[in-house]
Amino acid sequence: MIEKYLVKKITEPVDWKVTVPGSKSMTNRALLMAVLSAGTVRVEGVLFSDDSRHFLACLVALGFTVEIEEEKKCVTVTGCGGRIPRGEAVIDVGSAGTAARFLAAMLGFSDGCYEIRCSAQMKRRPMAELFDLLSGAGAKITFLEEEGHLPVRITGCRYARADKTAGETPRELSLDITKSTQFLSALLLIAPMVPEGMKIHITSEKTDGSYIRITRKMMQEFGVSVAFDGRDYEVPCRSSYRKETYTVEPDMSAACYFYAAAAVTGGRALVRHVHMDNTQGDLRFLEVLEHMGCTADDTPEGVLVTGPADGALRGITVNMNDFSDQALTLAAIAPFADAPVRIEGIGHIRGQECDRIHAIQTNLTALGIRCEEEETAATIYPGSPHGGSVETYDDHRVAMAFSLVGLRTDGIVIENPACCRKTFENYFTVLSELTGKTVEG
């Protein structure tokens, strides 16, 4: 395992064509709906990474029939109509936030008793709001270490579909999604387990988000409608997932690193099979790049981004609340802009794999760039980074984003590049091939 990665500086504008893995978010949503479906579902374009392998291992541990064809990027799942085959099991979600939230919700509405284990990193991530909701619905949550965090033992509230005839009144829950929309996605996705349907009242000022829209669209494609009136979400009674084949989109988050490389070098990057009708929220990063002086064109092969001459980017102020995975990407290319770059609306990224706002500030400062850290924002000033080590905090997005600095700066070393196994395990292999660098160096 490579402990450090020295990024090779680019002396010419890039001219890259790249294929990226499938979307992690869409992969795990599709797998969850597949196991809750009333038949066999073939999921194609699956992302195989540390996160998705943990998700699949959890499904197998719960007794679901899962056929994995990794070379073909396919998984075939036999659904059990909303029931979990094994009434008792121990699962390990690793560092996978989606697996932790989605599976905890599913187990909370089951008729069994389960233990959820995880990595040290996942133990630090917030789960209390979801556990409070599940407890209020009748599940029993026993914290095995710190209250409000994994690991836990969950005894389901026995609302499995086959146990009860659907009534007229939907199950009602209330939720604040200020810190994370993942809890709402989790509850919506498992709502067909509740025979009388589910109504979720949003108590926060924020009521929607890009990942919620992905969830609703995918549920619709699996045959379950979600009504939304601007404040309340409702899944009707007797809902059931049915789908024979589902194809996962390429991961827009992964594509954005290559688009940013084009931006910062004044070159061109085409990511195959990514198009402007992509449903993922990170598509909006293309708008940010366009405001900074890039062009983005949807070609038959994929979206092509062309950076401004010499990578002379314009400064920008942008609220990235709805596509915050790209805050790190923007921060990494911000020093090369002609004016400050201010990123707002990102307070919630402090609670992700690491405190990402602080990771932006500490790494840029270490590389000689002025960066002002605020509770929900960061401002990066133009400058010339110098060489140095990037502390990744075991966060895949820190590692991939800050590799972009090295395309314009000698001596950028990424610590622990293997953390990318979470979503894009061969990212640095791909980067080496594109830059003509040996993988070992």
Side-chain angles (χ1 to χ4, degrees):
M1 184 179 294
I2 302 171
E3 295 182 358
K4 300 176 186 289
Y5 182 94
L6 175 63
V7 183
K8 183 177 180 179
K9 182 181 176 181
I10 297 294
T11 57
E12 299 289 337
V14 304
D15 190 2
W16 292 348
K17 287 188 177 182
V18 188
T19 301
V20 299
S23 163
K24 176 193 73 170
S25 298
M26 297 182 76
T27 290
N28 288 344
R29 282 165 171 77
L31 291 174
L32 183 66
M33 288 187 287
V35 299
L36 294 177
S37 71
T40 298
V41 183
R42 179 176 175 84
V43 184
E44 300 178 342
V46 169
L47 166 69
F48 285 97
S49 68
D50 195 54
D51 271 19
S52 59
R53 289 192 184 95
H54 270 97
F55 200 109
L56 287 164
C58 290
L59 297 180
V60 172
L62 292 169
F64 293 104
T65 301
V66 179
E67 181 184 343
I68 299 172
E69 301 173 87
E70 190 160 334
E71 289 185 1
K72 295 182 179 179
K73 298 184 178 1
C74 291
V75 174
T76 303
V77 176
T78 301
C80 294
R83 292 188 63 87
I84 299 174
R86 291 182 182 157
E88 295 184 7
V90 176
I91 63 173
D92 186 344
V93 298
S95 297
T98 49
R101 277 72 181 264
F102 294 176
L103 294 177
M106 181 177 75
L107 300 180
F109 280 89
S110 73
D111 56 357
C113 183
Y114 307 92
E115 184 175 318
I116 305 178
R117 298 174 181 173
C118 67
S119 69
Q121 183 189 70
M122 191 63 221
K123 289 179 183 180
R124 297 191 294 270
R125 298 185 68 178
M127 294 279 290
E129 289 175 81
L130 180 59
F131 291 144
D132 288 345
L133 274 170
L134 296 177
S135 295
K140 181 182 178 182
I141 309 295
T142 303
F143 297 107
L144 303 180
E145 292 183 18
E146 183 180 355
E147 186 171 344
H149 295 260
L150 292 175
V152 298
R153 184 175 297 109
I154 296 181
T155 301
C157 60
R158 302 185 184 279
Y159 265 82
R161 290 174 55 83
D163 290 346
K164 187 174 179 180
T165 301
E168 296 292 330
T169 305
R171 184 76 170 174
E172 295 190 9
L173 300 170
S174 295
L175 179 64
D176 182 324
I177 62 171
T178 302
K179 295 180 180 178
S180 176
T181 61
Q182 235 173 46
F183 301 140
L184 176 56
S185 280
L187 292 168
L188 291 174
L189 288 164
I190 61 87
M193 296 177 69
V194 182
E196 67 270 37
M198 185 181 290
K199 184 175 183 178
I200 304 170
H201 175 71
I202 305 302
T203 60
S204 53
E205 181 178 348
K206 179 177 181 177
T207 61
D208 197 7
S210 59
Y211 285 105
I212 297 303
R213 292 189 287 274
I214 289 173
T215 298
R216 293 176 62 202
K217 183 175 185 297
M218 290 182 66
M219 289 176 68
Q220 185 71 50
E221 290 170 344
F222 272 74
V224 174
S225 62
V226 181
F228 177 52
D229 64 5
R231 180 61 61 181
D232 297 325
Y233 292 84
E234 186 167 352
V235 177
C237 65
R238 302 183 184 89
S239 295
S240 179
Y241 291 128
R242 295 185 184 274
K243 189 76 172 175
E244 293 184 359
T245 304
Y246 183 83
T247 302
V248 175
E249 292 178 353
D251 186 7
M252 194 65 205
S253 297
C256 287
Y257 302 116
F258 302 103
Y259 292 143
V264 81
T265 66
R268 293 156 39 97
L270 184 149
V271 182
R272 299 181 183 93
H273 313 303
V274 169
H275 295 285
M276 292 298 189
D277 61 355
N278 186 293
T279 62
Q280 298 162 66
D282 281 5
L283 185 70
R284 290 183 58 191
F285 188 64
L286 297 182
E287 298 175 14
V288 174
L289 294 180
E290 287 178 320
H291 285 300
M292 297 180 78
C294 301
T295 61
D297 299 295
D298 198 347
T299 76
E301 196 172 1
V303 169
L304 169 69
V305 168
T306 303
D310 301 319
L313 299 167
R314 295 193 291 266
I316 189 174
T317 295
V318 57
N319 187 308
M320 299 188 75
N321 181 272
D322 215 22
F323 55 116
S324 59
D325 276 350
Q326 295 313 309
L328 282 157
T329 314
L330 178 57
I333 65 173
F336 306 103
D338 63 4
V341 171
R342 179 171 171 79
I343 309 170
E344 300 176 336
I346 54 171
H348 60 285
I349 72 173
R350 291 187 182 276
Q352 295 183 308
E353 280 81 349
C354 72
D355 181 339
R356 287 178 172 171
I357 296 180
H358 191 61
I360 288 170
Q361 194 275 332
T362 54
N363 279 311
L364 287 176
T365 300
L367 300 178
I369 297 298
R370 179 185 171 195
C371 176
E372 295 177 353
E373 174 184 351
E374 301 173 38
E375 185 61 31
T376 63
T379 302
I380 300 100
Y381 292 84
S384 298
H386 56 65
S389 293
V390 172
E391 173 57 62
T392 59
Y393 302 97
D394 200 27
D395 188 330
H396 57 132
R397 301 219 178 277
V398 177
M400 290 186 281
F402 275 88
S403 68
L404 298 167
V405 181
L407 299 179
R408 290 273 300 263
T409 306
D410 278 320
I412 298 297
V413 176
I414 308 298
E415 302 285 347
N416 185 26
C419 64
C420 291
R421 67 188 180 275
K422 181 177 176 67
T423 53
F424 194 166
E425 58 189 9
N426 66 333
Y427 172 80
F428 284 102
T429 300
V430 173
L431 186 63
S432 293
E433 292 171 350
L434 292 169
T435 61
K437 171 187 167 56
T438 58
V439 177
E440 292 76 19

